[in-house]
Amino acid sequence: MSRRRRSGGRRARAVARAAAQEMRRSPFLTSKLAPYEVLSTEGLEIIEHNAETILERVGVDITDEPAVQTFREAGADVDGQRVRFPRGMCRQIVTATAPSMFTQVARNPEKSVVIGGNHLVLAPAYGSPFVRDLDKGRRYATIEDFRNFVKLVYMTPYLHHSGGTLCEPVDVAIPKRHLDMVYSHFRFSDKPLMGSVTAPHRAADSVEMAALVFGEDFLEENTVIMGLCNANSPLTWDKAMLGSAREYASRNQAAIITPFILAGAMAPVTVAGVAAQTLAEALVALSYTQLVRPGAPVIFGSFASSLSMQSGAPTFGTPEPSLTLFVLAQLGRRLGIPFRSGGNLTASKVPDAQAAYESAATFQPTLLAGINFVLHSAGWLEGGLTMGYEKFILDSDQCGMAEALLSGVDLSENGQALESVIETGPGQHHLGTAHTLANFETAFYRSFTADNNSYEQWSEEGSLRSVERANSLWKKSLADYEPPAIDESVDEALQEYVVRKKQTYPDFEA
């Protein structure tokens, strides 16, 4: 009897290990949990009605003349830069042609991601001018830091997307740095990526570089690069963002349309007020992408944070932004397109207890709300001003846990474990049962940053804090890094493009 149990346990463990490896190879997550919803249909209709009222009565200021002309031709009321929209116009344009789901093809096709439906794609933090690590502290980011983070993202199985501006390399001239960043993504990783959006011509450069990698004809039928386009809240879209959205959409590439709102400063202080304004702002740019190219992939995004009424500083991990996130995720599903929000966000300057609880308080709602694309999943510090090396590692661990949570409850025969309960009986432990032996390697998520040993063992091993353990882990990851293969002719074409374009751009913007 015992031999059969051991043999069965070995076979079961082999199957479980194979299944776990297959799960880790998944290039994105698929949630088996029903999205958590905080509003009834009636409540959502109220917010949608209010958003339409804002668009009809107030409108938005648009400083991009081609976009103004496009909306005029589509039936909007144009008064200089102020554009007002007939009730339902923008929504009808979006729902008519915007895809509910799309695939972003990676340089390595096995790492392509599906965005939309019940799928979740995790990407690193974005846009920080500073970096921080335990050795050197806080400092301005360099192109070396940027490449380090591309490599770190490439090395972790828990982030599915290379992201975009992982940090701002301030040692490269502003008019030229987008070229080095996009090249670094393509050269040092083979995961999907985001391009530049700081000016329309930089967005165009990003798409051109993608065409060098994938081929112009391939871009006509496939999405290979995305751009993040933020509204200038309240109720303003500028030529940099709409111009960049136009460059991506016109080439069948994806734009992430994201109002960036600090409640109490850029929108009302209430959840319903922020949600209505966010939806109104987003509908304008979402519909614009479809007017530029019907069927172009697009993502409805939200970044909404609360504001300290005492200091004016952004705050994170508070309940109100989580409620806003839940509401907007529901509105995105009603709109029928992918939704982006969330992350591991904190106002803390270092990866301390504040960073941990604020990040957890923003990441848990992210997982439960049914979000499809998550920027700022790893590395965010100081309200987004700093990209942290140790914070990146600690957040990546949390991203790994997300996979286990979203897998839901296993109700297979093995998951029910009824026979094990019957065989073990009262008063006996399960440590040596066949079921435990078959599942112990994969039963629970194993944190690679937490220390669960005894006090004595922890003390003997140096009494390391989590940030010190993370410091060793990111250094080891970079030491172990080996670049993915790339076709030499493609790499040469990319480098030639970067050199040629840099010669045409000044070192300083006028």
Side-chain angles (χ1 to χ4, degrees), residues 472-495:
S472 297
L473 288 170
W474 71 256
K475 291 175 179 176
K476 183 179 187 305
S477 185
L478 289 181
D480 293 342
Y481 169 82
E482 294 182 4
I486 189 171
D487 185 281
E488 288 186 8
S489 63
V490 170
D491 190 27
E492 290 174 2
L494 286 171
Q495 292 188 55

Side-chain angles (χ1 to χ4, degrees), residues 329-471:
Q330 287 185 259
L331 292 168
R333 285 190 288 276
R334 284 170 62 86
L335 199 55
I337 59 176
F339 181 70
R340 169 255 157 161
S341 192
N344 275 294
L345 309 180
T346 180
S348 181
K349 317 307 177 285
V350 295
D352 58 4
Q354 178 185 341
Y357 74 69
E358 288 181 349
S359 294
T362 55
F363 196 50
Q364 284 292 321
T366 298
L367 300 179
L368 299 177
I371 289 169
N372 303 118
F373 187 80
V374 184
L375 270 183
H376 314 313
S377 296
W380 174 288
L381 282 171
E382 200 181 342
L385 289 175
T386 298
M387 183 72 158
Y389 279 85
E390 288 80 23
K391 180 66 159 45
F392 177 90
I393 295 297
L394 295 168
D395 289 341
S396 297
D397 196 10
Q398 296 300 305
C399 292
M401 295 185 193
E403 185 173 28
L405 176 65
L406 297 182
S407 296
V409 178
D410 177 11
L411 288 178
S412 67
E413 183 177 344
N414 179 70
Q416 293 177 52
L418 181 58
E419 288 301 318
S420 182
V421 175
I422 293 172
E423 290 180 8
T424 303
Q428 304 299 313
H429 65 71
H430 284 256
L431 291 175
T433 65
H435 186 270
T436 297
L437 292 174
N439 289 276
F440 81 95
E441 289 184 291
T442 59
F444 309 115
Y445 178 81
R446 296 183 183 181
S447 168
F448 59 86
T449 64
D451 183 288
N452 301 303
N453 296 318
S454 67
Y455 174 83
E456 290 75 15
Q457 184 173 348
W458 171 76
S459 181
E460 288 175 3
E461 293 176 353
S463 307
L464 298 178
R465 298 171 297 155
S466 61
V467 67
E468 294 165 331
R469 294 191 294 273
N471 179 266

Side-chain angles (χ1 to χ4, degrees), residues 91-107:
R91 174 176 288 270
Q92 290 170 6
I93 293 170
V94 173
T95 57
T97 60
S100 61
M101 187 182 306
F102 66 92
T103 297
Q104 184 182 1
V105 180
R107 188 163 71 79

Side-chain angles (χ1 to χ4, degrees), residues 39 47 126 416 437:
L39 281 186
I47 292 176
Y126 182 108
Q416 293 177 52
L437 292 174

